[in-house]
Amino acid sequence: MFLFVATVIWIAGAVLGLLPALMTPMMFDAPGSLENPMTVTFALSIATFPVVCVVAVLLGWLVFGLPALAHFPHRYLWACALISLPLLNVVIGGLALTWITWFNGGSFS
């Protein structure tokens, strides 16, 4: 059940995350924003989110459904861990945005 719900959420997230991913180059319009590591981290977490969602869903279902991995111990647990990979993008992006807001006053530069 978890794999199915996560699949629906991540595919919807990948589709909805395409527009923000396409807009990430605009984060670097401010002078000096390319030298700010938190701006680059935030932009990378947004830009890679749709790809990570699709790859995580594919890997999760491959680990769960491949007959070659039928004797793999804890196969369902590994599938759930792989399908949860987009949470890393969400957490890293959230931390980077918090850093930008707190220490840079909301400025990307």
Side-chain angles (χ1 to χ4, degrees):
M1 186 69 174
F2 177 76
L3 288 176
F4 177 72
V5 171
T7 299
V8 170
I9 290 171
W10 293 136
I11 296 300
V15 171
L16 293 174
L18 283 175
L19 185 62
L22 291 173
M23 297 299 161
T24 54
M26 292 183 195
M27 297 171 79
F28 300 108
D29 285 345
S33 59
L34 277 174
E35 288 82 26
N36 187 351
M38 285 301 123
T39 302
V40 174
T41 303
F42 185 53
L44 285 175
S45 69
I46 292 173
T48 60
F49 182 73
V51 174
V52 171
C53 286
V54 172
V55 169
V57 168
L58 290 175
L59 286 177
W61 281 104
L62 281 175
V63 166
F64 180 71
L66 278 179
L69 298 174
H71 300 294
F72 191 65
H74 308 293
R75 182 175 58 158
Y76 184 70
L77 184 64
W78 278 99
C80 290
L82 285 172
I83 209 164
S84 299
L85 282 177
L87 290 176
L88 284 174
N89 278 56
V90 173
V91 169
I92 290 171
L95 289 174
L97 183 62
T98 302
W99 181 281
I100 290 169
T101 304
W102 186 264
F103 292 107
N104 293 359
S107 173
F108 288 126
S109 57

